Amino acid sequence: MFEYQAKELLRRAGVTVPRGVVVAGDPTPADVAGLDEPLVLKAFGAGLVHKSDAGAVELGLRRSQVAEAASRMRAALAGRGVTAAGFLVEEQAAAGVELIVGVVRDPAFGPVLLAGLGGVWAEALRDTAVRLCPISEADARAMPAALRGAALLRGYRGRPGVDVDAVVKLLMTVGGPGGLWERLELGEFEINPVIAAPSGVVAVDARYLPAADGATASDAPATPEPPTASDAPATPEPPAGSGADFSALFEPRAVAVVGASTTRPNFGNMFLDFYRAAGMPVVAVHPEADEVSGVPAVRSLAEAAGVDYALVAVPAERCAGVVRQATGIPYTQVMSGGFGEAGRPELEAELLAAARAAGTRLLGPNCMGVYCPRGRQTFTGGGLGPPGTIALVSQSGGLAGEVVKVGERRGLAFSRVATVGNAADVTPAELLRWLSHDGETRAVGLYLEDPRDGRALYEALAATTLPVVLLVGGRSAQGRRAAASHTGGLVSDGRIWRALAEQTGATLVTSQDDLIGVLAFFQAHGSRAVTGEGVLVVGPSGGASVLAADAFDRAGAGLDPLPGEVLGELRELGLGAGSTLANPLEVPVGPRGRPELVPRVLAAVTRHRPYRDVVAHVNVQSFFTYGTAAEPLLGYARALAGAQHDLPGTRITLVTRNAECAPAGVEDEVRAIAAAAGMPVYRSMEAAAVAVAAGGRHGTA
Ligand code: ADP
Ligand code: MG
C-alpha cells in the first residue's frame, strides 16, 4: 500500500492529512492549481519505503517548480534503479512537534500502540510510550505525558504548546476501542511524522504493511498456539473451556502419583511422603508393586478411583502414554521436564493432545504442582502452613517453593498456589480469572517468564478487582537467555510489562522480596476500608528520615505536607524544638522515649488530615544501646498496635530498621504484635515504600 492510500485510510477515519493530488505521470501546473503553497513533492513506487533516504521527498516548492522537480526526481531515482510509479503533491503543513504514532503486533500481547517523538528524532531518541490496544482515554493522556520530551508538547522557550486534545483524539482513533487497530491486518502501521501544532495535528506520512501471513486482527489468534510440530497429532479443544472450575485442582478428594519407585526413591516417592504427611488420601500407580513407600498401589491411572488429581513424574517420552489413561481425573500435573523448554515442542504437543483426548486438564509440564493448606495439596516438605487469603501463580516451581516457605516465615498465609511450568494447557490467565471469583483469595501474586497467552492475561488483569502483584523474569537480555533455558519462553520488551501494569492497576515488582512484601501489605491491610489520602512517615530524626523521603519518591508515593492546623498541637507535644515540622515527621522513638508519643501525634494529625498510610519507622539498634531488654521496643510496637486499632481508616506500616541488631527472637515478637493488629512489618524503608505505593493503587475500594 502506497503512502497516499494509507493516508486515505486515515482521512476516512477522521484524521487530518494534507490536501494533495496523486498523479501517475509527471505533475502539470493544472494538476496542482488547487493546492496552497508551499508544496511537498513525494514519489511513490515499489521498493520506495524510506523516501527521504532515496531522495524521493522535496519540501518548500512553489506550484511553478513542481513539474521540473518531478522530472529531476524521476531521473535521480532511475539512476538508483528505482522506478517512480507516480507522485503525491501535497500542501506543506506548518512546523510543529513531529510525533510518531504506530501499531505493532507483539507476538504474545497482540496489538500494541506506540507514540513518541517522531520524524528524524524517532530513531535517535527512542523516546516512546507503549500501551496495549485498546487504550482508554486516560492511557491516551498518559502516553504523551510519559515522554522524556513531554516538555516540547507543553511549549518551551517561548514556543506555544501543541493541541494535546487533538493528539489524544488521534491516539484514540488509532488505538482506542473500535479504532483503526481493529480493522488493520497487522503487520505494522505507522504515522511518522504527525505534526502537532497549537492548531491541531496533521498526519504528513503514513505507512501500512499488512501481515505477511495474511493474519487479520479479527481472525488471527491473539496469542500464538502452543508449539505444534507438523507431524504431531491434531489437538481437540479443551473440554472445560475457559470457565473451568479449579476447585478440585486445589482441593482434590484424593490424588494419584505416577512414577514412584520401589527400588530407587525419586520425585514420585518424595511426593508420596509429602501427601502422607499432609493427610491427603493418596494412591500410587506402579506397573508391578502393590505398595510403594507404604502407599497402596494400582496398575494404571485408569484403575485409580475417586481421584481428582494425578501427578506424573516419569521420563518425558512416557508422559503422554500415562496421561492418555487419566480419563475421569479432572486434573493431571506433569512434573517432568524435557518438553518445549528443552527444544522438544513435538513432545509437548503430543502431551497436550493426550490430555485433551483423556478429558483431563493439564498442569505443566515442567512444574512442581499445587499448594493449598485448606485442601491438603502440597509440593513441599515440612508441613502445611496456615490457610489464608494470598494466591500465587508461578511459572517457576522453585520460586513458588521459596515464596511459600519464606512468605510463611514472614507471616503470609496462602489460599491457593499453582505452578504452571510451560503452561501448555492451564495458563496463568485462566487461573487468574478463576481466582478473581474465589471467595478465599484477596490478593494474587504472579511470577511469569513466558506470557504465552499475553492477551488473555491482559484481559484477566483488566477484569479482576483483586490486587495483583506481578514479578516477571527475563525482562533483561541477560535474563531472557536464562529464562530461555528455563521454560523455553521469550519475554517481550520490558516496556510492555510496565504498560500492562499501568493499564490494569497491577503492581510490577522487580524482586522476590518485593513480591512477598507487597503481598504481605495486602494481607495485613486488605480488608481495611481506607478513608484518607496520602502518606505520612514518622520516626526518629536524622539521615534515615531524609532517605525515607527519597525512597518513597523513587517508589512513586508522594509524602504530602502536614496540615498547618496541627503544627501548634505538635509543638505542645514537644516536637520540632528548633526545627521545622514536616513530612517525614521527626518524633523521638527509642529506649528512653515515651511509647505513647507516636500514637498521640498520629491522633492529632489525623484529626485534621486523615492520611491513607502512615509509615512508622524505628532504629532497632538504638533500643539496644544500653542493654538487651526487649520491653521498650515491644512496648512501642504495642503502642502502635493500639494506634492502628484507634485509626481504622488509616493503614499503619512498621519499618524495623537495623533489625539484625535485636537479640534473637525479639524481631519475631515484634512481628507477632504487629500481625495481631493487622500491621505489616518491613526491615527496610525501600521495601515498605514499594508496598505502600502498591497499596496506593488499591487505596479505596
Ligand atoms: P519518509 O518516507 O522519509 O519518512 P516523509 O513523508 O515522512 O518521508 O517525509 C520526510 C519528512 O519531510 C517528514 O519527516 C517531515 O518532516 C517532512 N514532510 C513530509 N511531508 C510533509 C508535509 N506535507 N508537510 C510538512 N512536512 C512534511
Ligand atoms: Mg516518514
Side-chain angles (χ1 to χ4, degrees), residues 18 40 42 49 51-52 59 90-93 98 192-193 204-205:
V40 180
K42 300 181 183 184
V49 182
K51 299 180 296 288
S52 312
L59 301 170
E90 63 183 13
E91 294 177 353
Q92 181 167 325
E98 298 201 347
N192 185 25
V204 305
D205 187 18

Side-chain angles (χ1 to χ4, degrees), residues 260-287:
S261 165
T262 50
T263 51
R264 296 215 322 257
N266 58 23
F267 275 117
N269 299 74
M270 187 179 83
F271 270 85
L272 287 179
D273 292 344
F274 290 167
Y275 279 131
R276 271 204 317 204
M280 168 69 84
V282 58
V283 60
V285 175
H286 194 281

Side-chain angles (χ1 to χ4, degrees), residues 14 53 112 281 300 312 349 370 486 510 530 560 575 619:
D53 297 350
V112 173
S300 87
V312 180
V370 176
H486 189 188
T510 54
V530 180
D560 309 77
L575 301 191
N619 174 10

